[in-house]
Every structure is written in C-alpha cells, then in structure tokens.
Amino acid sequence: MTILLYDLVGHDESRPFSPHCWKATMALAHKGLDISTAPTRFLEVPAIEGGVSKTVPVIRDGDKVVIDSFAIALYLDETYPDRPTLFGGEGGKAMARFIERWSQLTIHPYVTTAALVDLHAMQDEKNASYFRQSREQRFGKRLEDVAAARDAGLATFRAALEPLRSMLSYQPFIGGASPLFADYIVFGALQWARIATPYKLLDDSDVVAQWFTRCLDLHGGLGRTVAAAA
C-alpha cells in the first residue's frame, strides 16, 4: 500500500522545502516504502485530514494518520520492523532525541536567519502575506532586518557545528557506518537551507559539507531531486 505524505511547498510544487518533511521523506525512503505526496502550502495545512495537525509532515498509511516527523519515524520502525531500522534500538531513539533538540537549537535558528527572505519569496501571494505577518510577529522585526544578521552570524554558526564535525571525523554518518534517523534530522535542516537560499552556509572542505553530500546521494540521490537554490 502506498503511504501518502503531506509535503510543504511554496508556489512551485516541485520544490518541497520543509526540514521536517525532508526528515519524513528520507525515513520513508530508508524503509523502502512506496509513497505519494500531497503538495501542501502553509494556509492549506489546517485542512489536512480534517484538521488533524497545525504542522506538517503528516502521513496516511491505510487507516492510520500520523503527525510529526519523529512520531512518523517511530511509527515506521514499529510498523515495518522487517525493513531497515531507523534507530537501531532504544539507544538510537534516545540519541536521535538529543540530535533533534541540538539541531533545532543550533542549526534551525541560523538557517532561519539566512533563508527567511528567500523562503518568503518562494510563496504565492496569499501565503507570502501570511508568512511575512506570522514571522514578523514572531521576531518583532521585518524579515529583511532578521536576514541582515546572517553575515555577522556565519562564523559563530560554523563554529557551533564542531561537535558534529568532530564526530564525523571518526565515522561516515551520525548513525555510524550507515545512516539512521539522526542523520536525517540534521540533513533535513541543511536541505531546507540548500533549497531555500543560495547563501553558502558551509565551505566545501568542511567535513560536515562532505557528510551532507553523502546524504544527498542516499536512496538513489533522493535529496538531489530538488535542485539547490540558484
């Protein structure tokens, strides 16, 4: 049976950009499951599956609806145990919880700063208006003023990745010899930036950038099916 994934897009349905939806996309591919996608814009999210969630990703697997990327990964491992594991056991789940919080507190804020204006430009007129209003209310300043801090914050952002950089000097993936959901968590954040903005977050020589390239090549180059922002 094909699993339906509600995936966040802007005016171009071929460029899904949500970091959380990319986590789910990679998790589904890791499991080798057949999927179809429902391109969904910000203002359409509240109507998904009768209003089941205020955010995406959401999946429907037969009669089962699951919301939240981490819950989706747990569901997939529990429901399809005969397919490659996303966590490698309880310890892997605990590690992934830590990685998720680290990513959301370390990577997401800077990607938001770097890509906010570009993300606004990806939306159609109605969704762009919603995006500007909601984000400017959240930050207490204009989108352009938020983005103006990206150059000053770049060196600090890169330095904050040192724990990941150090880990990847010992092993090819966060999960060890092969990727686990923890890899897809961080990949989703950097893929969000890659698709949304041409602003260069990492030097090509960076171990983290090299790991990200390996992740782009996973599952038949799934991450490359959406081109980087030009």
Side-chain angles (χ1 to χ4, degrees):
M1 183 178 295
T2 300
I3 295 175
L4 176 63
L5 168 69
Y6 292 89
D7 206 357
L8 190 65
V9 299
H11 62 77
D12 185 346
E13 293 188 356
S14 69
R15 296 185 61 76
F17 59 86
S18 163
H20 308 294
C21 292
W22 272 103
K23 292 182 220 174
T25 297
M26 296 295 279
L28 287 158
H30 185 102
K31 284 291 189 181
L33 296 164
D34 294 328
I35 74 166
S36 61
T37 60
T40 308
R41 295 172 179 84
F42 281 111
L43 292 174
E44 297 167 341
V45 172
I48 290 173
E49 297 289 344
V52 70
S53 178
K54 295 180 180 179
T55 61
V56 285
V58 174
I59 65 166
R60 172 174 280 283
D61 185 14
D63 294 334
K64 183 71 172 179
V65 174
V66 187
I67 66 174
D68 178 77
S69 59
F70 207 103
I72 288 168
L74 292 172
Y75 167 81
L76 294 176
D77 248 16
E78 292 164 4
T79 306
Y80 300 97
D82 56 325
R83 294 172 180 263
T85 178
L86 285 161
F87 296 102
E90 292 301 315
K93 294 177 186 177
M95 177 187 72
R97 286 288 188 197
F98 171 80
I99 294 294
E100 182 169 68
R101 296 308 301 143
W102 178 82
S103 178
Q104 290 179 352
L105 292 171
T106 304
I107 303 177
H108 282 233
Y110 184 74
V111 173
T112 299
T113 297
L116 200 58
V117 171
D118 299 297
L119 285 163
H120 175 259
M122 293 178 71
Q123 312 309 315
D124 62 26
E125 185 176 354
K126 289 183 178 179
N127 284 276
S129 178
Y130 157 78
F131 186 88
R132 178 175 287 278
Q133 181 180 7
S134 61
R135 271 52 180 181
E136 290 185 347
Q137 183 177 13
R138 180 186 303 175
F139 291 105
K141 60 179 73 175
R142 297 172 65 249
L143 302 183
E144 292 77 8
D145 294 333
V146 175
R150 68 184 184 181
D151 287 346
L154 182 59
T156 298
F157 166 72
R158 290 178 175 179
L161 299 182
E162 188 55 38
L164 176 60
R165 194 172 289 117
S166 179
M167 167 187 266
L168 292 171
S169 70
Y170 292 96
Q171 58 200 52
F173 293 99
I174 300 171
S178 57
L180 293 174
F181 189 62
D183 289 271
Y184 303 144
I185 290 169
V186 181
F187 170 81
L190 296 178
Q191 178 79 327
W192 175 35
R194 173 182 171 271
I195 292 168
T197 180
Y199 190 76
K200 193 173 181 65
L201 271 67
L202 299 170
D203 285 330
D204 293 340
S205 61
D206 192 329
V207 171
V208 177
Q210 294 165 8
W211 162 85
F212 182 64
T213 296
R214 289 195 293 277
C215 289
L216 285 170
D217 291 334
L218 293 170
H219 313 307
L222 178 60
R224 298 187 187 278
T225 58
V226 180

